[in-house]
Amino acid sequence: MHEILTIQLGQRANYLATHFWNTQESYHTFDPAPPSPVDHDIHFRPGIGADGSETYLPRTVIYDLKGGFGSLRKIGRLYEVTGDEGTGGGTWDGNAVIQRQPPITPSTYQQSLDSGLPPPPLTTSTVRYWSDFNRLFYHPRSIIQLNDYSLNSTLMPFEKWESGDDLFNSLDKEHDLLDRDLRLWAEECDRMQGIQMFTGADDAWGGFAARYVERVGDEFGKLGIWVWGLEEGQRSQRDKQLMRTVNAARSLQAISSQASLYIPLSSPPAYFPRYVTLDHTSQWQTSALLSTALESMTLPSRMKAGDHKSGTLDILEAALNVNGNQRIAQLQCTIVDSKGTEGQLSTQPSLQDSRMYHQNQDQPQLGEDSLHDATADSQPLDMNFFPGESQTNDTPHVFGIVESIRKDCEDRNDQEDAEDEGYARKRRRVAGMPLKEKYHSTLQYPLLDSFPNLFPTFSHHITSVAVDASLSTTSRVPHRVKALQKVVGRMVALDEREALSNDLGEIIEAYEEGWDSGSDDDMDDY
């Protein structure tokens, strides 16, 4: 069935993943509606609830800190008859006093879902946790709370990369995390195509994720591992910003050397078009915008074979990792009003939030010239989620690109899709052109009641939007790595600095092999 197993690490990752899972749940159809083009078995598993009823729940493992799950319980309604979840018979036969923290009250949105009533509109003030807008049930094995740290603690903040590294090592030594948390999920799969991981990258979760990916690689060998690494897009105080940058450098070096693909993500992006209205302080909103691009980009990996072209993770990787060591990609997208003028993408200049740290106000339309060779028949994409994108205005060299277009129309250009793929790839390589994979689907991105109103200028009462998303490996990557390398040279302790800087240098060389930008200009300090 080519299943994909998901691992979620931390608050930011869980906000993003909740939008992802809500979208997957919306694809389920029931008679007399036509069948969905999405193969649900890739991300969902059948099972039996505690009362003997059939269940169909996400294939995911969710990690968060103490207090991070909100009102979501480990043992939910489908499994609650199994008994008390927190106590068990032990050897102590004396009197016991059990102290429980008062439970977090479910949001009115959750209460309405539980009661079978239409939920009220969500706002930034009513979404306190990612579980407040969650629409799914999860298996008890999916919920894993790490009690060593508390969410938003000022006494023991979970911020330093080393804290995540140490926490994973201590838990793995005590429990063997893969055996406890992951193995049963993997054994349920018939033919797993890969693992996708959502994680913070510029905080302690980056260290936790790096060790997790290393263990997964040792355990599952050549299995595809895609890691989506979230970085804070807003500038913070200098000391904290430098710590985040060093954390991001360590995550990029450690994860990209182990994963088959690493996609750093700035949330929110530095620039966004005028049709997007975003509250940068709301993780619910910033993760929703990012989820629109991410979910659209990965849609080919879960499409049924037939009318739509499908592509497993390894097929997508092959078009991106051209030279065998280019495992860092950038995510871009454009969102279109599905009831507006068909096919007209926004050509208005991108906006920059005044609170963002990038100062260049002359950022060109992303993709307009830089991806011309790769997407000559495509519209320019106006949002780029790659961190530090605005540091340079030069036209990047593109090594490989995968594009996913979801649009309710039939003017699809499948000319290259019909060619022999091996021949087409050789032809483009010989001609010095980027490798390219393109996927079309008429299934648009659904705007659910759990999704914020990010597009107020679009048509009223629209229920979906058209999206054009792409992943690409370009010369933007070494620009970013060079900026990280400069900060590492100033901020990292001497005993680690040389090794980390050299590893980053090897990543830079991987994106200069067979191509020279002709420029020796250094990047500005981050």
Side-chain angles (χ1 to χ4, degrees):
M1 289 187 291
H2 293 94
E3 300 91 345
I4 297 176
L5 182 57
T6 303
I7 301 172
Q8 306 169 205
L9 303 178
Q11 274 286 292
R12 286 184 295 175
N14 289 331
Y15 268 91
L16 174 61
T18 301
H19 284 295
F20 176 86
W21 288 118
N22 287 349
T23 305
Q24 304 315 305
E25 188 263 349
S26 73
Y27 296 145
H28 290 262
T29 58
F30 305 94
D31 293 335
S36 171
V38 174
D39 185 350
H40 307 303
D41 290 335
I42 289 178
H43 283 291
F44 288 80
R45 62 176 290 277
I48 303 296
D51 60 354
S53 61
E54 294 184 357
T55 62
Y56 201 50
L57 305 178
R59 302 181 188 273
T60 188
V61 183
I62 307 172
Y63 293 86
D64 214 327
L65 304 181
K66 184 178 180 180
F69 287 90
S71 61
L72 182 65
R73 295 183 298 162
K74 181 176 180 66
I75 301 180
R77 195 167 66 189
L78 296 179
Y79 294 88
E80 60 187 352
V81 298
T82 55
D84 190 280
E85 61 183 275
T87 61
T91 58
W92 173 254
D93 58 359
N95 295 327
V97 177
I98 300 176
Q99 294 183 342
R100 296 183 183 272
Q101 289 185 329
I104 296 174
T105 304
S107 65
T108 54
Y109 182 87
Q110 286 295 322
Q111 294 178 34
S112 298
L113 292 179
D114 292 340
S115 302
L117 301 175
L122 289 165
T123 65
T124 54
S125 61
T126 59
V127 177
R128 306 157 299 170
Y129 305 91
W130 54 267
S131 59
D132 286 341
F133 63 98
N134 166 61
R135 296 182 57 87
L136 288 82
F137 292 106
Y138 296 97
H139 193 281
R141 284 195 279 116
S142 290
I143 308 300
I144 303 173
Q145 179 172 283
L146 304 181
N147 295 314
D148 303 70
Y149 290 85
S150 296
L151 182 67
N152 300 326
S153 171
T154 57
L155 296 177
M156 286 183 58
F158 198 57
E159 295 178 341
K160 294 184 178 180
W161 200 89
E162 299 90 336
S163 299
D165 188 348
D166 293 341
L167 178 59
F168 181 89
N169 289 333
S170 63
L171 292 174
D172 194 44
K173 182 178 181 180
E174 182 178 357
H175 302 290
D176 190 342
L177 285 188
L178 263 64
D179 193 58
R180 185 192 72 176
D181 301 339
L182 203 64
R183 190 173 307 282
L184 287 177
W185 292 99
E187 290 176 350
E188 291 174 347
C189 300
D190 291 335
R191 188 181 178 188
M192 187 162 54
Q193 66 169 292
I195 292 175
Q196 65 174 2
M197 178 183 288
F198 303 141
T199 181
D202 59 355
D203 56 10
W205 286 110
F208 194 94
R211 298 288 78 81
Y212 209 126
V213 172
E214 183 180 16
R215 286 279 283 111
V216 170
D218 293 340
E219 183 72 20
F220 295 100
K222 296 183 179 180
L223 182 70
I225 306 172
W226 282 35
V227 180
W228 304 86
L230 291 156
E231 300 181 24
E232 178 58 55
Q234 289 187 273
R235 189 75 171 177
S236 60
Q237 295 180 349
R238 177 176 173 79
D239 290 346
K240 192 168 186 177
Q241 183 62 40
L242 289 172
M243 179 185 67
R244 284 177 175 172
T245 304
V246 173
N247 288 343
R250 288 185 170 123
S251 294
L252 184 141
Q253 179 275 325
I255 296 176
S256 66
S257 64
Q258 301 289 336
S260 53
L261 195 67
Y262 179 54
I263 308 99
L265 302 168
S266 175
S267 182
Y271 293 86
F272 51 91
R274 296 183 186 276
Y275 60 78
V276 176
T277 299
L278 196 68
D279 181 351
H280 293 74
T281 64
S282 170
Q283 292 192 66
W284 171 54
Q285 291 200 12
T286 57
S287 60
L289 181 63
L290 179 54
S291 176
T292 307
L294 184 152
E295 198 278 332
S296 298
M297 187 60 247
T298 57
L299 184 64
S301 66
R302 50 187 167 271
M303 297 298 287
K304 294 177 181 176
D307 295 338
H308 298 83
K309 180 182 176 184
S310 61
T312 56
L313 298 182
D314 58 342
I315 292 177
L316 305 185
E317 293 167 17
L320 295 169
N321 192 356
V322 177
N323 295 331
N325 52 4
Q326 295 166 326
R327 294 189 289 269
I328 302 173
Q330 64 176 0
L331 176 67
Q332 295 176 273
C333 88
T334 282
I335 303 169
V336 185
D337 185 349
S338 59
K339 291 186 178 180
T341 304
E342 193 64 51
Q344 294 297 315
L345 305 188
S346 170
T347 57
Q348 303 180 57
S350 298
L351 287 181
Q352 178 184 13
D353 181 31
S354 60
R355 293 167 291 181
M356 304 295 287
Y357 57 87
H358 300 303
Q359 300 300 318
N360 180 10
Q361 297 292 334
D362 299 320
Q363 177 75 358
Q365 191 75 1
L366 295 175
E368 188 169 6
D369 297 318
S370 63
L371 302 182
H372 176 73
D373 289 339
T375 58
D377 57 344
S378 303
Q379 293 278 1
L381 305 184
D382 51 24
M383 277 183 281
N384 193 327
F385 293 91
F386 195 67
E389 171 59 25
S390 67
Q391 291 183 20
T392 179
N393 285 330
D394 68 317
T395 300
H397 176 79
V398 180
F399 299 95
I401 183 169
V402 178
E403 190 172 10
S404 175
I405 302 171
R406 51 198 312 180
K407 185 177 179 183
D408 189 15
C409 67
E410 298 300 328
D411 58 339
R412 291 159 41 178
N413 180 9
D414 292 332
Q415 179 179 357
E416 183 157 313
D417 294 342
E419 293 182 295
D420 177 78
E421 293 185 358
Y423 171 76
R425 181 163 296 181
K426 291 179 181 178
R427 176 175 59 81
R428 296 184 69 84
R429 186 184 291 273
V430 170
M433 300 172 65
L435 297 187
K436 179 175 67 172
E437 285 281 345
K438 181 175 286 191
Y439 298 85
H440 296 84
S441 173
T442 57
L443 179 65
Q444 299 191 28
Y445 185 86
L447 298 180
L448 309 175
D449 55 26
S450 61
F451 194 91
N453 182 21
L454 302 183
F455 319 115
T457 62
F458 283 10
S459 304
H460 293 298
H461 307 301
I462 60 172
T463 58
S464 63
V465 290
V467 180
D468 186 348
S470 74
L471 274 178
S472 58
T473 47
T474 78
S475 58
R476 295 289 195 212
V477 173
H479 286 195
R480 165 67 171 167
V481 180
K482 287 177 183 177
L484 296 176
Q485 193 179 40
K486 292 186 69 174
V487 176
V488 165
R490 300 199 315 265
M491 301 302 301
V492 175
L494 184 62
D495 57 342
E496 183 190 2
R497 182 190 310 163
E498 183 176 0
L500 180 55
S501 182
N502 289 341
D503 288 341
L504 294 175
E506 292 180 2
I507 294 175
I508 295 171
E509 292 176 1
Y511 287 81
E512 295 176 346
E513 181 181 347
W515 174 80
D516 186 0
S517 65
S519 173
D520 294 326
D521 294 340
D522 291 331
M523 302 303 302
D524 294 334
D525 289 352
Y526 203 62

